[in-house]
Amino acid sequence: VAWYLGELNKYQQRTGTRLLDYLDLHFYPQGANVSLSNVVDPATRALRLRSTRALWDASYIDESWIGEPVRLIPRMRDWVNQNYSGTKIAITEYNWGALDHINGALAQADILGILGRERVDLALLWGMPEGNVPGTYAFRMYRNYDGLGGRFGQTSVSATSQDQAKVAVYAAQRSDGALTIIVINKTEAARQIELNLRGSTKTSAEVYRYSAATLTSIKKEANAAIAAGLIKTSLPASSITLFVVK
């Protein structure tokens, strides 16, 4: 890939013509029974949710024949920066499997958060979920959480978790000024969390949730109180929660 980009860069330097708009790779996790699979035994469920870290985490040793860190998106960005700057990044095939199960929905929601945070310019899921299966709701949590076109924000905001492998968090500001925060409980037990909204003076947040408890709809929950910039709440097991601070 580095050589390919370098050759295209040389051509542009000679001719003034850019031949490549996107560096586009396909990626399917190589862990057993994860990609393009509906296997959801406990070991595979856990592996599916861990393996999303291959997209970004340099500390994650891929649990497959690869056996080393993949850090796919930073690796692609390094190749571009070192060999053909200005090229956009695309992953036009990916699939983490189990889109008909809450486990696949959690993985897909995590992936969407990663793709946004890591500034991937274009990404395409291979094999769209059909109908009202859990994988569809992972997209709706970002693109139409209230059935009225309510969306996650367009401008990424820094968001960190004390343990991203268990509770993943992604945040963005919307064009109307709202702060939107997706929190994914990747564990199969309820978890108490404190969400620190640094600098916020707001007093409440709307709450929308998709979880294993109700697989056929996104539920609007009671508003969450914000006190001194903190939201203290419980996340149900295997759930995707969206906080909207207007």
Side-chain angles (χ1 to χ4, degrees):
V1 173
W3 175 87
Y4 168 69
L5 291 170
E7 292 299 300
L8 290 166
N9 191 15
K10 291 175 185 177
Y11 180 86
Q12 182 170 341
Q13 296 302 316
R14 291 196 309 270
T15 67
T17 300
R18 172 178 277 274
L19 296 179
L20 186 73
D21 296 308
Y22 290 82
L23 168 60
D24 175 20
L25 300 182
H26 298 172
F27 185 75
Y28 293 87
Q30 296 297 292
N33 299 319
V34 173
S35 178
L36 299 166
S37 165
N38 291 324
V39 176
V40 287
D41 62 86
T44 303
R45 292 199 304 268
L47 175 59
R48 180 172 284 115
L49 295 176
R50 288 196 305 270
S51 63
T52 61
R53 294 167 60 192
L55 289 170
W56 63 275
D57 189 352
S59 70
Y60 177 67
I61 306 299
D62 201 79
E63 298 169 78
S64 72
W65 60 268
I66 295 173
E68 61 183 86
V70 175
R71 54 182 295 274
L72 180 70
I73 299 168
R75 185 186 296 267
M76 293 175 71
R77 198 168 300 284
D78 288 346
W79 277 330
V80 164
N81 290 341
Q82 293 165 15
N83 299 284
Y84 199 8
S85 63
T87 305
K88 295 181 180 180
I89 288 175
I91 304 171
T92 60
E93 285 188 28
Y94 73 86
N95 183 291
W96 255 259
L99 291 168
D100 61 349
H101 191 278
I102 186 64
N103 181 247
L106 297 175
Q108 181 58 53
D110 194 27
I111 291 162
L112 292 173
I114 292 166
L115 293 171
R117 185 193 65 196
E118 300 295 320
R119 298 174 292 119
V120 173
D121 297 292
L122 174 67
L124 301 174
L125 170 64
W126 180 263
M128 280 296 293
E130 297 182 2
N132 288 325
V133 299
T136 304
Y137 287 97
F139 284 90
R140 289 175 180 160
M141 286 296 289
Y142 285 91
R143 304 295 290 171
N144 190 19
Y145 59 81
D146 57 2
L148 301 171
R151 296 185 174 190
F152 192 67
Q154 300 97 326
T155 303
S156 184
V157 173
S158 177
T160 58
S161 169
Q162 289 184 339
D163 192 342
Q164 187 82 356
K166 294 179 179 177
V167 178
V169 58
Y170 305 97
Q173 188 172 42
R174 208 162 56 194
S175 57
D176 64 359
L179 176 65
T180 55
I181 308 161
I182 288 275
V183 184
I184 305 165
N185 182 2
K186 299 167 76 172
T187 73
E188 299 185 5
R191 301 189 72 87
Q192 297 293 322
I193 66 162
E194 287 189 2
L195 198 59
N196 184 1
L197 312 182
R198 291 183 183 172
S200 176
T201 59
K202 303 299 183 181
T203 58
S204 69
E206 294 180 356
V207 181
Y208 297 84
R209 178 170 289 135
Y210 183 71
S211 73
T214 306
L215 293 177
T216 56
S217 64
I218 295 169
K219 298 294 186 182
K220 188 179 189 308
E221 308 285 353
N223 283 6
I226 305 174
L230 286 178
I231 297 175
K232 297 182 180 181
T233 190
S234 178
L235 302 177
S238 301
S239 63
I240 310 164
T241 302
L242 171 66
F243 298 94
V244 181
V245 184
K246 292 188 172 179

